[in-house]
Every structure is written in structure tokens, then in C-alpha cells.
Amino acid sequence: MKTVKKILNKPANEISESMNLDINSKRIKFIDHAYAIIYSALHGCDLTDTSIDNGISRSWLSKLNSNKPYMPFIQLFYKLLDPYIKAHNYRVYSKYMRVLAYRLNIH
């Protein structure tokens, strides 16, 4: 899963900087939150379990999910997906659709 974090690094940091997401973040950065969500979706795991495995407690996860706006995640999703849409690479594109479906609770 190091590959996922490597892929997320640049777009997540760009979004975080442009929206000042991590300026007051004490422990969990936007990239870590996004990584936990994507990892959970790709592996069909519970987000709480994935978060705990990555050092995010249940209370921090609750605060993250209730305090962070959803727009950065939408921007991240499209930043990740854009090159594949432009290249018409449906095989890769369809994998990302699982993440979107999970996030929107369309299991």
C-alpha cells in the first residue's frame, strides 16, 4: 500500500496547501485521513479498523469525519482520476469507482 500513499502524496499535499487543511491539524494530516479512507475502500475493511491500524483513534476519526469539509476529498478524487479519464483507461478508472461508491455508501 506504499504505492497508494505515493500516488496520494502530491495531489493531497497540493489540496491541503491550497485549502489550508493541515494548518491547525495537530496529529492527522489530510493525506493520512484520505489514505485510511482509500485503503478501507480498496480492501473492503471497516474504516474504524483501518484507522486504528494507522494510528488514528476512534475519537480522532470521529472528529476528522465531522470537522473536515467533504470538498477536499472530491478534489482529490478527481485529481487522481483525471489522467485515467483523459487516457480512456477504464480498467484503472473502474477501480477508483469502487472508492467513490464506498465513500457515498453505495455498496
Side-chain angles (χ1 to χ4, degrees):
M1 287 307 292
K2 289 180 182 179
T3 306
V4 172
K5 223 167 197 175
K6 186 177 179 180
I7 292 169
L8 285 177
N9 193 36
K10 184 178 178 187
N13 287 329
E14 286 174 359
I15 292 167
S16 178
E17 286 177 21
S18 71
M19 299 182 86
N20 293 323
L21 294 175
D22 294 331
I23 204 159
N24 295 319
S25 180
K26 294 177 184 171
R27 291 183 45 201
I28 309 302
K29 304 244 182 253
F30 174 64
I31 189 171
D32 298 322
H33 190 195
Y35 173 78
I37 292 169
I38 291 171
Y39 182 92
S40 295
L42 291 175
H43 287 90
C45 304
D46 182 68
L47 179 57
T48 305
D49 295 336
T50 301
S51 298
I52 290 170
D53 291 344
N54 286 287
I56 303 171
S57 68
R58 288 176 194 231
S59 61
W60 272 105
L61 179 64
S62 177
K63 287 178 186 177
L64 286 171
N65 287 339
S66 60
N67 294 337
K68 282 216 173 155
Y70 67 91
M71 287 305 293
F73 294 100
I74 292 173
Q75 285 183 6
L76 179 62
F77 178 76
Y78 284 110
K79 274 186 177 263
L80 293 171
L81 207 54
D82 190 54
Y84 299 105
I85 292 171
K86 288 178 180 172
H88 303 290
N89 191 339
Y90 180 74
R91 185 180 61 77
V92 175
Y93 177 81
S94 64
K95 288 181 183 179
Y96 283 108
M97 293 310 290
R98 284 187 17 213
V99 174
L100 177 63
Y102 179 82
R103 190 66 186 142
L104 296 175
N105 295 317
I106 310 171
H107 299 284

